[in-house]
Amino acid sequence: YRAISFDVILGAHNISDNSEPTRQRSTTSKYVVHPDWNSTSLTNDLALIELETPITLNDFVSVVSLAVGNNSFADSEGTACGWGKTTDSQVGTTDVLRYETSIILSNDDCKNVDSNYDEEIKNTHLCLAGDGIKSICKGDSGGPLVADNVQVGITSFSYRSCEAGKPSVFTRVTEFTQWIQENSDVIFA
């Protein structure tokens, strides 16, 4: 075990501009990773972080509700955002927050896009349709997938090429509602 400390920055738009007046920072070492996280199968890809500094909600920092229930969100419009690469060949990540909006696929439709997805996609995953060269990419992991102002997914992985037009894959929030609640009660008590 080694202590890990995180700098959490909220309200940022351009990550290379440290003088953005909208930013709020909280440093913390309180976190919990899902105990069944598997880096080979990319399942149970989520963690919770407790902020040690109170955050002020405003026009730049707000709260999003987490999805609950058994809605698959298939055929809903979903928006993912992050500071990941914009092309496979890009060195480093982008400085400015970017987003992609597309249609959420059923897991069966996602598996049918490409035979490589057939074994990869589990019930704990959720897919966002590829849109030309638009996709999540390296550096976007951990970001949200939001549908109807509710967070339905957590960015997990994409196809081998970010520019292949293949679905992006997210951890399905509704599959982890109980784990999130139980662990929030423990680390946030």
Side-chain angles (χ1 to χ4, degrees):
Y1 174 80
R2 66 174 207 237
I4 298 175
S5 181
F6 299 95
D7 276 333
V8 179
I9 301 171
L10 297 97
H13 177 70
N14 183 333
I15 59 174
S16 67
D17 181 1
N18 291 326
S19 65
E20 282 182 315
T22 57
R23 289 186 181 196
Q24 297 179 53
R25 178 185 296 264
S26 179
T27 301
T28 186
S29 58
K30 296 180 180 178
Y31 67 96
V32 60
V33 175
H34 195 285
D36 296 324
W37 156 240
N38 186 312
S39 60
T40 303
S41 66
L42 300 173
T43 52
N44 307 303
D45 189 6
L46 73 157
L48 297 173
I49 299 173
E50 179 181 358
L51 302 180
E52 293 180 359
T53 306
I55 298 301
T56 302
L57 300 180
N58 57 38
D59 290 341
F60 303 98
V61 177
S62 62
V63 177
V64 64
S65 298
L66 296 179
V68 295
N70 59 5
N71 186 340
S72 73
F73 298 97
D75 300 321
S76 298
E77 189 173 73
T79 301
C81 63
W83 286 273
K85 291 181 168 194
T86 57
T87 65
D88 292 322
S89 61
Q90 179 178 343
V91 176
T93 56
T94 185
D95 289 339
V96 177
L97 182 64
R98 299 175 61 92
Y99 67 93
E100 167 197 2
T101 299
S102 193
I103 299 300
I104 296 173
L105 301 172
S106 70
N107 281 13
D108 286 340
D109 287 345
C110 186
K111 290 177 181 183
N112 288 332
V113 168
D114 188 290
S115 60
N116 291 310
Y117 281 85
D118 192 42
E119 291 183 28
E120 299 293 326
I121 303 303
K122 310 292 186 228
N123 64 339
T124 57
H125 291 132
L126 184 144
C127 296
L128 187 66
D131 184 12
I133 64 167
K134 294 179 184 177
S135 176
I136 62 166
C137 201
K138 289 179 176 40
D140 287 326
S141 295
L145 174 63
V146 176
D148 297 322
N149 296 316
V150 174
Q151 184 172 352
V152 300
I154 304 164
T155 304
S156 185
F157 64 95
S158 62
Y159 193 76
R160 291 179 195 97
S161 166
C162 302
E163 301 173 62
K166 304 288 184 173
S168 302
V169 184
F170 300 80
T171 298
R172 185 181 292 275
V173 170
T174 56
E175 290 290 320
F176 297 95
T177 304
Q178 183 176 346
W179 183 85
I180 291 169
Q181 185 62 50
E182 288 171 357
N183 286 276
S184 295
D185 290 346
V186 171
I187 69 170
F188 302 143

